[in-house]
Amino acid sequence: MQYSFDFNGKSSLTQGIYVEKRPDIPAAKEKVEYISIPGRSEKLCRHTGEFENVEIKVECGFKANQEKWYEKACAIREWLQGSGELSFQDSEALFWKVCAVKIDGIERKLKKYGFFKVVFTCSPFIYLKEGKKWKSAEEAMKNPGTACHPVYKIEGEGVCILKVNEKSLAVNVGQNVIVDTERMLAYKNDGTMQNTKVMGDYDTLWLKSGNNIFQATPGFRISVMPNWRYI
């Protein structure tokens, strides 16, 4: 089978694009600060915990009827732009969050063929598709990757205390509240903002690598979209 990639739910194969070779996947680089102190012979190193975006470069080609070549080239440029999700045929359980897409140009070496390189600028993390599904708290608390920022759905009435690994956050719930610890937002199922209903810091509910301990006020139903990821 011809190698392919998916971007925002569409396959390169269905778009009539073939991949010249399997792309290299760059490793994310941590932002590290080096601090000079007078009298010391070496610099101190401070790990920030922040990582730089990565670029994934894919060399591609396509074939089109001579009179439809420019039309095909325009359709490809229309598809490969903006942000979204990227995955590859040999790693279908994983995806990258794309911040931006760039095609420098499409080269026409022959009348019917076009060649181009697309560059996807992505978040430094590689995400698991399984981590995008709603799960019970018990199913979500074992994190197979690095530290991640889940989304919690709380259903019930009254004040719910959510506790993860001895750190807690309080939410005043009226039927339901969704707590997004990545975007640091709270809202209802219908999108109504609920930020004022949250008391505490969103990052207290982040999941560490490995096993996590979860507790919640009795009488509330808790669902978790863990957003599992690797660095």
Side-chain angles (χ1 to χ4, degrees), residues 49-68:
E50 298 178 4
F51 293 85
E52 298 177 357
N53 285 342
V54 298
E55 288 188 346
I56 300 177
K57 302 175 183 179
V58 187
E59 296 180 18
C60 302
F62 66 90
K63 179 182 178 182
N65 292 332
Q66 185 175 344
E67 63 276 11
K68 295 287 187 178

Side-chain angles (χ1 to χ4, degrees), residues 67-223:
E67 63 276 11
K68 295 287 187 178
W69 192 93
Y70 286 104
E71 184 178 320
K72 182 64 176 179
C74 289
I76 290 171
R77 293 184 66 89
E78 180 68 23
W79 173 45
L80 294 176
Q81 62 176 310
S83 59
E85 296 182 1
L86 171 70
S87 62
F88 294 95
Q89 178 188 330
D90 54 359
S91 55
E92 293 183 344
L94 306 173
F95 71 94
W96 285 258
K97 291 185 178 181
V98 177
C99 309
V101 186
K102 181 177 70 173
I103 299 176
D104 288 332
I106 299 178
E107 186 177 4
R108 190 175 186 178
K109 294 180 180 179
L110 300 170
K111 292 180 180 180
K112 294 183 178 182
Y113 293 89
F115 303 90
F116 64 94
K117 180 184 291 184
V118 56
V119 180
F120 296 96
T121 301
C122 304
S123 159
F125 298 95
I126 305 172
Y127 288 82
L128 283 75
K129 291 182 180 179
E130 186 65 26
K132 292 178 62 179
K133 300 177 182 179
W134 287 108
K135 302 179 180 295
S136 69
E138 290 73 22
E139 293 171 326
M141 288 303 108
K142 187 172 183 179
N143 179 7
T146 191
C148 61
H149 306 163
V151 179
Y152 297 87
K153 182 189 293 184
I154 310 169
E155 297 173 287
E157 293 288 340
V159 177
C160 176
I161 306 296
L162 268 177
K163 182 181 287 187
V164 176
N165 301 325
E166 301 304 318
K167 294 182 178 180
S168 62
L169 179 144
V171 185
N172 191 354
V173 183
Q175 294 185 328
N176 66 80
V177 172
I178 296 174
V179 178
D180 187 331
T181 69
E182 172 69 28
R183 297 190 295 162
M184 296 191 175
L185 295 174
Y187 46 91
K188 296 179 76 70
N189 280 337
D190 62 6
T192 304
M193 297 306 298
Q194 298 287 290
N195 290 341
T196 58
K197 304 294 186 180
V198 175
M199 293 153 280
D201 297 323
Y202 290 91
D203 59 7
T204 61
L205 300 184
W206 291 351
L207 301 180
K208 65 181 181 179
S209 179
N211 293 321
N212 293 264
I213 300 173
F214 171 86
Q215 291 176 294
T217 303
F220 290 88
R221 180 183 176 187
I222 309 297
S223 303

